[in-house]
Amino acid sequence: MVGSTIEIDLAALRHNFSQVRKLVGQTTAILGVVKSDAYGHGMVSVARELETQGVEYLGVSTCREGVPLRQAGLTTPILLLLGIEEDEITDVTKHDLTPVLFRGDIAEAISSAALAASTQIPVHVKIDTGMGRLGVPYVEAEKFFELIKSLKGIRVEGLLSHFASADEHDKSFSTQQLKRFRRVLNQAKSAGLNFRYAHIANSAGIIDLPDSYHQLVRPGIMLYGGPPSQELHHPVPLKPVMTLKTRVLQLKEVDAGSPLGYGCTYLTSRLSRIATLPVGYDDGYDRLLSNKGEVLIRNRRAPVVGRVSMCLITVDVTEIPEVLPEDEVVLLGRQGDEEITADEIAAKTDTINYEIFCNFGGNRKKHFLNSSAP
Ligand SMILES: *Cc1c(COP(=O)(O)O)cnc(C)c1O
């Protein structure tokens, strides 16, 4: 079939999950972050596999992701990391989702809805300890706790914050965030809030900051086999989960001095064999990889020559004479002893492995390998 294929190796996912478990132990709960289609890996299948492995919580961005997980039959608690708007409270109660909370008006709306239904709605309160993005500013936490205490129907199950730079070599800002977080936890206790989970650790925190574990950790990128950065103190053996493949669509010999692709940005310097591949920026293969990327064919590297177009690229296989039409080509992942990592591609396109996974996999059809689910 002409086109590209995403393969998701669920055995690698299980391996990475077991690495998290090994680090944090049995008594710390694990919230598997499966937002954004599980970083492009396929939200429902990844969540199901994590559920078979005993994950204690799942994290998604919004109701739009949480509801489909419930409809797919997942029973693990689900945290909505971006919180909710007022019109989503019915979804929260109907599908047993747990919103993150950081706004007083939403707290009041949740309280009213809970009272009207004579029930309690669990929430996790998010505190901004320095990231400057989402959450109650830590200096306003005490005031926010007073508000929550005054509202009936809200059950604070968790208190969370998020690291801004735990993936950097210098941990001084993370240490400061941790200090602020601990102070806020004490304020919450003093206000009489009885929460089960305090949590702040993302993958970088899990790998480098054991002091940050508290009762729950929130791995994302490491579940998918990507290191959170190249600056970690204690790298963990992770296995990449995603592979992007295609096949040679056409093979041709061209003279020296032949232009290739839009804009004729590449001119062959010798008699060359060029393989044309049915993959392009529509598959998430960034146009910045024009004349820069490499792919694997016959277990060897071949350079991308000419511009990446929407659905096609050209690669130089002059040095790999045994290449044939329909040969398998790996754009991300392993072939033989060679491997192209998301980090390698990210370095060439001025981004991070997170974005490579989202671009390649996000909401595309995937082939799932090695599922342990029945
Ligand atoms: C995405 C996200 C994570 C996961 O971060 P990684 O660096 O991928 O481990 C954890 N917590 C929150 C709140 C997030 O939004």
Side-chain angles (χ1 to χ4, degrees):
M1 208 166 45
V2 176
S4 69
T5 310
I6 300 274
E7 281 178 5
I8 301 299
D9 181 358
L10 295 171
L13 178 75
R14 290 196 294 279
H15 166 87
N16 298 333
F17 181 80
S18 75
Q19 292 295 312
V20 179
R21 188 63 88 196
K22 202 162 119 189
L23 283 170
V24 306
Q26 295 293 336
T27 52
T28 306
I30 301 173
L31 177 149
V33 180
V34 296
K35 68 189 180 204
S36 301
D37 199 25
Y39 294 32
H41 291 69
M43 180 182 70
V44 169
S45 300
V46 165
R48 239 183 230 137
E49 194 64 43
L50 292 175
E51 199 168 86
T52 67
Q53 299 306 296
V55 78
E56 283 88 355
Y57 233 113
L58 293 165
V60 296
S61 289
T62 61
C63 271
R64 206 172 298 163
E65 297 173 326
V67 171
L69 281 179
R70 284 286 178 257
Q71 287 167 340
L74 282 119
T75 56
T76 304
I78 295 173
L79 191 64
L80 307 175
L81 296 167
L82 301 191
I84 54 166
E85 289 185 349
E86 207 172 322
D87 60 3
E88 293 172 316
I89 298 175
T90 46
D91 273 340
V92 161
T93 48
K94 184 168 165 212
H95 297 286
D96 193 17
L97 306 169
T98 310
V100 161
L101 181 65
F102 42 85
R103 258 169 60 186
D105 59 332
I106 297 291
E108 281 160 9
I110 289 177
S111 169
S112 310
L115 287 179
S118 357
T119 183
Q120 292 227 317
I121 298 179
V123 301
H124 287 213
V125 175
K126 180 144 187 188
I127 307 296
D128 176 7
T129 53
M131 173 95 169
R133 205 177 55 174
L134 202 62
V136 178
Y138 67 100
V139 289
E140 295 170 23
E142 265 186 308
K143 211 170 68 201
F144 195 77
F145 296 148
E146 289 308 318
L147 170 71
I148 300 282
K149 278 302 280 184
S150 74
L151 296 170
K152 301 257 182 305
I154 297 185
R155 183 166 62 82
V156 177
E157 183 192 61
L159 225 67
L160 71 150
S161 190
H162 194 54
F163 283 127
S165 57
D167 56 329
E168 287 174 17
H169 190 81
D170 178 355
K171 306 290 186 202
S172 49
F173 192 65
S174 301
T175 308
Q176 194 176 357
Q177 282 192 273
L178 258 182
K179 253 191 223 150
R180 290 171 181 166
F181 188 51
R182 295 219 176 94
R183 203 175 317 138
V184 167
L185 294 180
N186 285 330
Q187 289 168 349
K189 281 174 199 152
S190 304
L193 293 178
N194 255 324
F195 50 93
R196 177 170 178 196
Y197 298 117
H199 47 115
I200 187 168
N202 53 2
S203 294
I206 292 166
I207 293 170
D208 265 359
L209 297 163
D211 276 358
S212 71
Y213 292 172
H214 299 87
Q215 294 81 42
L216 182 144
V217 295
R218 305 189 306 263
I221 195 75
M222 70 186 293
L223 292 176
Y224 308 109
S229 82
Q230 305 296 324
E231 294 186 32
L232 300 171
H233 298 245
H234 309 286
V236 184
L238 301 169
K239 292 187 182 169
V241 176
M242 182 188 290
T243 299
L244 175 63
K245 283 181 179 172
T246 187
R247 288 175 187 281
V248 174
L249 185 60
Q250 192 187 356
L251 203 59
K252 66 181 88 167
E253 205 164 78
V254 300
D255 286 333
S258 301
L260 296 173
Y262 283 120
C264 306
T265 60
Y266 188 89
L267 279 184
T268 54
S269 60
R270 58 179 176 183
L271 178 68
S272 303
R273 287 181 85 229
I274 302 298
T276 303
L277 312 177
V279 61
Y281 54 79
D282 179 42
D283 304 78
Y285 201 76
D286 201 298
R287 202 162 160 279
L288 291 171
L289 293 163
S290 300
N291 293 309
K292 254 198 204 169
E294 289 188 338
V295 304
L296 306 179
I297 310 182
R298 299 260 169 178
N299 302 339
R300 312 244 321 257
R301 283 175 177 258
V304 173
V305 283
R307 270 196 195 144
V308 172
S309 9
M310 194 180 292
C311 309
L312 290 168
I313 59 173
T314 38
V315 300
D316 186 339
V317 293
T318 314
E319 308 285 338
I320 322 173
E322 62 275 29
V323 170
L324 293 173
E326 298 191 25
D327 270 1
E328 180 194 86
V329 181
V330 169
L331 300 117
L332 170 73
R334 186 171 270 288
Q335 195 188 55
D337 292 334
E338 279 286 356
E339 183 175 17
I340 293 176
T341 64
D343 286 280
E344 175 183 332
I345 297 172
K348 289 179 178 169
T349 55
D350 197 19
T351 183
I352 49 177
N353 52 6
Y354 294 71
E355 191 181 2
I356 300 301
F357 292 139
C358 287
N359 286 348
F360 283 179
N363 301 311
R364 282 201 184 82
K365 188 172 160 28
K366 288 124 195 150
H367 294 277
F368 294 94
L369 311 177
N370 304 315
S371 167
S372 73

